[in-house]
Amino acid sequence: MTPSPSLLVTPGPVATSPAVRAAMTADRSAAEPGMIAALRQMQTRIGALVRADAAYAVIPVPGSATQANEMVLRALPPPGATVLIVTNGAYGDWLASLCVAMGRGHRVLRSAPLEPIPPERVATVLEADTAISHVAFVHVETSSGLLNPLPEIAAICRRLGRGLIVDAVAAAGIVPLDVAHARPEAVVLSSNKGLQGPPGLAWVVTERAALERGRGFAASSSLDLFDQHQHVERTGTFRFTPPTQVLCGVAAALEELEAEGLSARSARYRENWEAAAAVLTAAGFPPLLRPPHATPIVVTVALPEDGPSPAGVTDAMAHRGYVLVPGRLAVPRTVRLGCIGALTPADTARAAEALAEVLGADPPTAAG
Ligand SMILES: *Cc1c(COP(=O)(O)O)cnc(C)c1O
């Protein structure tokens, strides 16, 4: 895992391994038997990763995870029903923006950005508003790194008979998911982030019965999740030209995840996070969130009052060979150092040293 000239220390896209990049160099046809077999194996691996049972379908969709979120919001809630978007960060807010753009009835329940969503507030809203058919929220809020309480919110949805849609894009490979137990109607994952694949593909794990109930809801052709599912089941490939090289890269990434093991993967991410957090804390920039609420997707620190702007930090880090992404913040004037991808604790510690320097800490004294 040698750092490339510019190392991605972002929550996505993430640094990938040489094997993943090498898998993407050949020209491939989507319909060749090897590709069809590889896609089926990936579907099986994704299903196993989130512990889905036979009641669920694993649907690959091309494009960004946001597009997959939109496909789910089109496919499952009945037109005319209300979707409750529960949000405590920029990615949760984005789910509400999708509803606005597609004209879906929705309500927004906003909670404090650095605290897990309080499940009892969700229950109160659902008990009072029977027009709400579905609840949607972000499991790991990437804008801060916060972990939201999936089992508790899922239990409330089951008790009150509402469908649940989970954006688990930043959770996959990082925190365990148990679909067979939580029984959401849909979970959305990405090809990159903690799965360490290239960007360009997303996964929807959805309850087959819910998808069937929503047949005809999509009001779109290219964003019709039901059609994509039917086509993949029938032919083993996509309705429209899939990103074939990306599929090959994702297949390699899922093989690597299986070889590393999910618990070893998340333990490495936790070590990456601890290494960066230790450097930043010693330099006077303690993380805004700590475990158990902080997941290891990012370390979030506040920018000093008289320090550089978020864009200035990004530029200065780029000069030092580290790519950060500005924007999409849960709290203004914060900066996030990504700890996922093909990185080691030594990589994140070095990136954190560069960040501390950029933020204006005294350079660390030589060890010893
Ligand atoms: C990255 C991310 C997304 C969006 O993914 P894109 O592929 O950029 O559309 C959505 N939700 C969460 C929680 C994410 O971390």
Side-chain angles (χ1 to χ4, degrees), residues 11-12 63-67 69 91 138-142 167-171 190 192-193 297 328:
S64 68
T66 304
Q67 181 173 315
N69 277 334
Y91 288 81
V138 174
H139 188 199
V140 170
E141 189 32 90
T142 316
D167 174 344
V169 172
S190 157
N192 69 112
K193 310 266 161 118
I297 187 164
R328 291 266 177 130

Side-chain angles (χ1 to χ4, degrees), residues 66-81 83 85 95 97-105 133-134 136 165 185-186 188 204 206 210-227 239:
T66 304
Q67 181 173 315
N69 277 334
E70 174 164 349
M71 289 173 83
V72 168
L73 288 166
R74 285 180 177 277
L76 302 183
V83 181
I85 308 289
L95 294 177
S97 304
L98 289 175
C99 290
V100 171
M102 71 181 92
R104 287 274 153 170
S133 68
H134 287 72
I165 294 166
E185 282 193 6
V188 175
V204 179
T206 186
L211 193 63
E212 191 64 48
R213 282 195 297 277
R215 183 177 203 150
F217 285 178
S220 166
S221 170
S222 63
L223 297 178
D224 191 328
L225 186 66
F226 184 88
D227 274 1
R239 288 175 303 164

